[in-house]
Amino acid sequence: MKGKIVAIKRVLEVKVYGIFVCLTLYIPILLPDFSNAQSCGFQTTCLPPSDWALGSWQMFNGSQNHTGRQRMKGNFTSGRYIKWTYTTTGNVTGSPAIGDINNDGNIEVVVGCVNCDSIYNGKVYALRGTNGSLLWSYQLGYSPVRSSPAIGDINNDSLIEVVVGIGDNSTHYGRVDAIRGTNGTMLWTFLTNGEVLSSPAIGDINWDGNIEVVVGGGYIDLMGRNTDSTVYVLRGTNGSVLWYYLTQGGVFSSPAIGDLNNGGFLEVVVGTMNMDWNVYALWWGIKLWSFTPSDWVLSSPAIGDINGDGKVEVVVGSRDGKVYALRGTNGALLWFYQTGGDISSSPTIGDINNDGNVEVIVGSMDGYVYALKGTDGSLLWSYYVGSPYIWMNDVVLADIDPSSGMEVITHGDSSIYVLSSYGTLLWQVRPGNFLNSISVGDIDGDGCVEIVAVGGGTHQVAAIDATSNEGGCGLIDVYESVEITPNTNVKVYDVSGRVIYQGPFEGFKRIKGVYFVKGNGKVKKVVVYK
């Protein structure tokens, strides 16, 4: 494998004879060269992106950093409608995963459910994004799925797999299943000692070119059962353990993956609950740091540079009603903001108003969505969504309106709310009763994003599309009237913004997909149907 050798500084906290000792190591490693990384399937990358979701939405909050941002645009200004619905046989709690899971050039939506067909029975559904019809379903028996699925090529076979956490209500144990995206059959399974409520994350944790699955296990109930309390890093090839970290409480939080100290390694950040109220930063089974709020951490952390200092921070909520911003290097508190309710939902981070500064957006059980300044945590605006903010509710950022900045997409009171970057309501739609979660991605391959919502009241998956997606879609502004002749020198971009061809337009090999062609100083969207 091609790569480059670098020396990485790593500070470890090691417990020796009851005393914590800090060790500084300089480790020579071979970093693989991923500059020529290929896509697996249409609009789906082999490895979920680190920061932004790019057309697809491959895991909880869209990316390894859990920023909750979608880079592809949409245009819902002229109206919106319910494109399709699919009724499951149980409650869907986790957020949908979106991507081409079977390499057929079309997008699928993947969800898991609880109480499907019968009480506590679990199932995973793969639905066609174009019309919501069933591609396949994966039966789990007496094992509900409460986590969000993650999709990616976890075994380097250029095919996409679906990974999901499962609880077994008959044994009070759990497992992680890897499912082939092509046909919905099992690739491997990993047994845990507790129900897996945490949503898996996918990434190359140790930079060896192989993919790992990161997940938390061991929800501890009031009877003291499910006492696993472990963060697992599993090899994507066969589900065996690469390393693990044992906490003192259950792990509901979904792990975020990112380089916390610009050291070249990827760390895992996760929250814990029950008897262990901490946010942990982990590397190779070793605690780099921890931070202790005053109540459980059900919220999944988000990782990003929120104050413009060139270093990343960790943002997370707690049941104590506070949003915490922690320094990625050592977990020290940068700031906190006190809301009026439990924060079990997960923060989203991004520059929503194009002022060059990053904001933190989060929902609280006091019924409000809060936009906070990343620099100091002060309130930018808040908006009441009409009902107590249920713990499964999260926030998504995407540019789906021509107004300035990114829109804040969330839900409450069984409605989807779309807020402007300044906290005003642009529109809302009610696709069904009792919404649990939403994701944003291009489900029909038109180069513009749609909204996918799931709920429990009607057991439905609902896709919301715009009545007109002309202009404003893709990664950049699109001008459909641009004339591109065969001899025009162009650059052709895929939906992730990667240049895939440069030269005369007639030399561009057209395969099925959506492309953005830059010629004569402007960009034209080109859709190839066959």
Side-chain angles (χ1 to χ4, degrees):
M1 175 181 291
K2 294 174 62 179
K4 59 181 180 179
I5 297 177
V6 297
I8 303 297
K9 179 180 178 181
R10 167 61 72 202
V11 179
L12 307 180
E13 185 182 86
V14 182
K15 191 174 185 180
V16 182
Y17 299 110
I19 301 173
F20 284 98
V21 179
C22 290
L23 302 177
T24 301
L25 305 176
Y26 288 87
I27 308 170
I29 64 168
L30 178 66
L31 292 181
D33 182 2
F34 292 114
S35 59
N36 294 317
Q38 298 298 311
S39 294
C40 295
F42 179 62
Q43 293 188 21
T44 304
T45 56
C46 295
L47 186 65
S50 60
D51 192 14
W52 295 72
L54 302 172
S56 56
W57 192 268
Q58 293 184 222
M59 53 196 257
F60 176 78
N61 262 10
S63 65
Q64 295 178 13
N65 292 171
H66 286 354
T67 59
R69 294 180 294 182
Q70 170 61 255
R71 191 174 182 185
M72 181 176 280
K73 298 180 181 181
N75 189 354
F76 286 76
T77 307
S78 59
R80 71 288 318 171
Y81 67 101
I82 297 177
K83 186 180 184 72
W84 53 255
T85 62
Y86 182 89
T87 302
T88 69
T89 56
N91 185 13
V92 182
T93 57
S95 60
I98 299 171
D100 179 6
I101 64 172
N102 62 351
N103 285 2
D104 67 347
N106 298 305
I107 306 298
E108 286 77 40
V109 175
V110 185
V111 298
C113 77
V114 182
N115 301 335
C116 295
D117 303 325
S118 62
I119 187 169
Y120 294 133
N121 191 67
K123 189 182 290 186
V124 177
Y125 295 88
L127 309 175
R128 295 178 177 89
T130 51
N131 58 18
S133 62
L134 181 67
L135 177 66
W136 53 253
S137 64
Y138 179 77
Q139 302 285 343
L140 294 164
Y142 203 54
S143 303
V145 179
R146 294 187 175 92
S147 77
S148 304
I151 60 178
D153 178 16
I154 64 173
N155 61 351
N156 290 336
D157 64 351
S158 297
L159 299 174
I160 296 296
E161 288 77 38
V162 175
V163 186
V164 67
I166 301 164
D168 191 326
N169 284 79
S170 60
T171 64
H172 304 295
Y173 291 90
R175 68 183 198 260
V176 180
D177 278 10
I179 308 164
R180 295 178 180 89
T182 51
N183 56 17
T185 60
M186 180 189 292
L187 177 65
W188 53 254
T189 188
F190 174 78
L191 299 179
T192 69
N193 291 319
E195 185 177 3
V196 179
L197 303 181
S198 171
S199 297
I202 296 175
D204 183 4
I205 302 298
N206 56 352
W207 290 95
D208 65 350
N210 297 310
I211 308 304
E212 286 79 41
V213 174
V214 189
V215 69
Y219 173 78
I220 303 176
D221 64 17
L222 296 178
M223 301 296 294
R225 299 173 299 189
N226 301 357
T227 56
D228 189 323
S229 309
T230 307
V231 179
Y232 294 98
V233 175
L234 309 175
R235 294 179 177 89
T237 50
N238 56 18
S240 62
V241 177
L242 179 64
W243 59 259
Y244 70 91
Y245 182 85
L246 182 64
T247 74
Q248 300 302 309
V251 183
F252 181 94
S253 172
S254 178
I257 302 171
D259 185 354
L260 298 181
N261 51 16
N262 295 328
F265 286 97
L266 294 180
E267 286 80 34
V268 173
V269 187
V270 70
T272 56
M273 55 185 288
N274 298 103
M275 297 172 288
D276 181 6
W277 307 342
N278 276 297
V279 180
Y280 287 99
L282 308 173
W283 178 75
W284 273 98
I286 300 170
K287 181 179 73 173
L288 299 181
W289 54 257
S290 63
F291 174 83
T292 307
S294 55
D295 209 328
W296 293 4
V297 182
L298 303 177
S299 170
S300 298
I303 300 173
D305 181 7
I306 64 172
N307 61 356
D309 64 352
K311 301 176 182 179
V312 299
E313 285 75 39
V314 173
V315 185
V316 69
S318 169
R319 285 206 322 180
D320 61 14
K322 295 178 182 177
V323 185
Y324 294 94
L326 312 175
R327 301 187 190 278
T329 51
N330 57 15
L333 180 64
L334 178 64
W335 54 256
F336 73 86
Y337 181 85
Q338 179 74 59
T339 73
D342 171 354
I343 300 181
S344 299
S345 64
S346 300
T348 297
I349 55 178
D351 179 7
I352 62 173
N353 54 10
N354 292 336
D355 65 350
N357 299 310
V358 173
E359 286 77 39
V360 173
I361 319 296
V362 69
S364 170
M365 283 191 71
D366 62 8
Y368 283 88
V369 180
Y370 293 89
L372 310 174
K373 296 179 181 178
T375 50
D376 58 8
S378 59
L379 180 66
L380 184 63
W381 53 259
S382 63
Y383 186 88
Y384 186 64
V385 296
S387 67
Y389 213 83
I390 300 171
W391 52 267
M392 285 300 293
N393 295 29
D394 296 302
V395 178
V396 174
L397 302 180
D399 187 357
I400 62 171
D401 187 275
S403 61
S404 176
M406 302 184 74
E407 281 64 56
V408 175
I409 309 167
T410 188
H411 55 100
D413 192 28
S414 300
S415 294
I416 294 174
Y417 289 80
V418 176
L419 309 176
S420 74
S421 58
Y422 298 98
T424 59
L425 179 66
L426 295 176
W427 55 268
Q428 69 184 86
V429 63
R430 186 185 180 105
N433 295 323
F434 184 28
L435 291 179
N436 280 334
S437 191
I438 55 175
S439 296
V440 175
D442 179 13
I443 65 172
D444 55 10
D446 65 352
C448 303
V449 295
E450 290 77 36
I451 299 171
V452 182
V454 299
T458 54
H459 298 174
Q460 279 193 342
V461 183
I464 295 91
D465 202 353
T467 55
S468 174
N469 271 328
E470 296 177 1
C473 296
L475 306 181
I476 42 185
D477 290 333
V478 176
Y479 300 85
E480 298 297 343
S481 61
V482 175
E483 182 180 356
I484 303 291
T485 66
N487 295 325
T488 302
N489 286 319
V490 299
K491 282 187 177 180
V492 181
Y493 302 81
D494 65 11
V495 292
S496 70
R498 180 168 56 100
V499 177
I500 59 174
Y501 173 78
Q502 184 171 353
F505 184 55
E506 63 182 355
F508 170 48
K509 182 181 179 181
R510 299 188 179 199
I511 59 176
K512 187 174 183 179
V514 177
Y515 307 94
F516 300 96
V517 180
K518 184 176 183 180
N520 298 322
K522 291 187 177 181
V523 175
K524 179 181 180 68
K525 181 177 69 177
V526 174
V527 181
V528 180
Y529 293 100
K530 61 182 180 178

